[in-house]
Amino acid sequence: MKIPEIAQLIKAEICTKNHDPDTEILSACSADLMSDVMAFSKSNALLLTGLVNPQVIRTAEMMDIKAVVFVRGKKPLESMIAMAEEKGIALLATDYPLFVASGKLYQNGIRGRGE
Amino acid sequence: MSTIVRDYSIPANDFTIAGEASSSVRKLLSQLGVSPDVVKRTSIAMYEAEINAVIHGNGGKAHVEIDESKIYICISDEGPGIADLDLAMQEGYSTAPDSIREMGFGAGMGLSNIKKNSDILYIETEINKGTKVNITVFFSK
């Protein structure tokens, strides 16, 4: 699923400008603990989180995560948007809570680890 | 290829720049054409060790050596040391304060994530002296 389709599905605003809109997202991980994210290894992945700090972007970079969705109406800080744009990571923000946003993506074919 | 050596300082308690050394090494490995899987494993191991130095070690240093077959990383700090290394290696065990958990770390997964992603892990630690985390990742196995 491409990033604009994901944004439409979970009614998310896309906060970054220079990511590749054709990136195909195949898998996802939902977590507020970055160490748990670091135990996740799938390619072309998306991270859903309620945590808002620069380490989220740094963790996404290390894990080669292509896009991050901030849930529950949280918005990334300007400094995080700049950092994500520099690294080519897409940032999205949705009002849906973590469970609902994850469920909608799962229902539409995005899968997690171990499947 | 001659050995490439890099040294970084890891500032204490500064979460805004924590991870810059790992980010820089990640870029360097990608530029050298190292396989994406090795770049990812190295990045995770180094980043977790770097974060540990920020959280527990009052900051520290990162020393990196890259040759044609491997990358060696030493993250050292002069923090309080690890009292029980076997316990610290267990998933879920953490001594990090709540303020660190609020930042998304301190889940007790750091050392086990480092171990999983490195080919050789050797930890030297001494109470009230500090800790050295030595990580080696081979480019092909």
Side-chain angles (χ1 to χ4, degrees):
Chain A
M1 198 182 298
K2 294 190 168 56
I3 288 163
E5 292 172 66
I6 288 171
Q8 201 177 12
L9 194 65
I10 56 172
K11 296 181 184 164
E13 173 197 350
I14 301 178
C15 311
T16 41
K17 291 188 184 78
N18 68 340
H19 58 271
D20 177 4
D22 290 328
T23 300
E24 194 71 37
I25 301 295
L26 303 172
S27 60
C29 164
S30 303
D32 286 350
L33 279 172
M34 294 302 106
S35 289
D36 282 345
V37 177
M38 232 109 55
F40 178 84
S41 63
K42 278 223 165 197
S43 54
N44 288 53
L46 171 92
L47 166 65
L48 296 107
T49 187
L51 185 73
V52 179
N53 71 40
Q55 294 311 317
V56 174
I57 314 300
R58 197 72 85 184
T59 302
E61 178 195 9
M62 298 303 158
M63 296 303 295
D64 213 8
I65 283 171
K66 310 288 183 199
V68 180
V69 176
F70 296 95
V71 297
R72 301 192 291 270
K74 297 186 178 188
K75 301 270 193 268
L77 308 168
E78 282 302 322
S79 57
M80 293 165 63
I81 295 173
M83 198 196 267
E85 285 183 336
E86 184 202 320
K87 298 174 193 313
I89 298 167
L91 300 187
L92 292 83
T94 178
D95 286 337
Y96 283 127
L98 185 58
F99 182 78
V100 176
S102 305
K104 283 182 182 287
L105 295 177
Y106 189 93
Q107 224 170 14
N108 282 274
I110 303 285
R111 289 294 179 262
R113 194 172 64 158
E115 296 184 279
Chain B
M1 168 175 138
S2 57
T3 303
I4 297 171
V5 178
R6 292 282 186 277
D7 285 285
Y8 305 89
S9 92
I10 303 169
N13 298 317
D14 190 343
F15 261 95
T16 54
I17 54 170
E20 287 213 337
S22 305
S23 176
S24 163
V25 168
R26 180 187 173 81
K27 269 182 216 145
L28 180 61
L29 288 178
S30 297
Q31 282 162 4
L32 290 170
V34 172
S35 78
D37 169 60
V38 171
V39 173
K40 189 167 172 180
R41 289 201 295 124
T42 307
S43 303
I44 296 170
M46 183 172 176
Y47 181 54
E48 288 276 21
E50 194 180 346
I51 292 286
N52 272 349
V54 174
I55 296 173
H56 301 287
N58 304 318
K61 289 177 199 161
H63 174 76
V64 176
E65 292 176 18
I66 302 167
D67 65 24
E68 63 279 348
S69 65
K70 66 183 181 301
I71 175 164
Y72 163 75
I73 300 158
C74 177
I75 307 276
S76 58
D77 67 56
E78 294 177 357
I82 303 169
D84 186 334
L85 192 54
D86 288 339
L87 194 56
M89 291 300 295
Q90 283 181 22
E91 288 189 358
Y93 178 81
S94 176
T95 58
D98 286 348
S99 59
I100 298 300
R101 290 210 180 86
E102 283 162 19
M103 298 295 295
F105 292 92
M109 297 296 291
L111 288 178
S112 64
N113 274 349
I114 297 171
K115 193 174 182 188
K116 259 183 235 165
N117 287 287
S118 53
D119 291 316
I120 303 171
L121 170 63
Y122 175 58
I123 300 174
E124 303 158 84
T125 186
E126 204 178 326
I127 294 296
N128 297 325
K129 289 274 172 66
T131 299
K132 270 188 190 175
V133 177
N134 301 275
I135 296 161
T136 303
V137 180
F138 293 106
F139 295 153
S140 59
K141 280 194 245 181

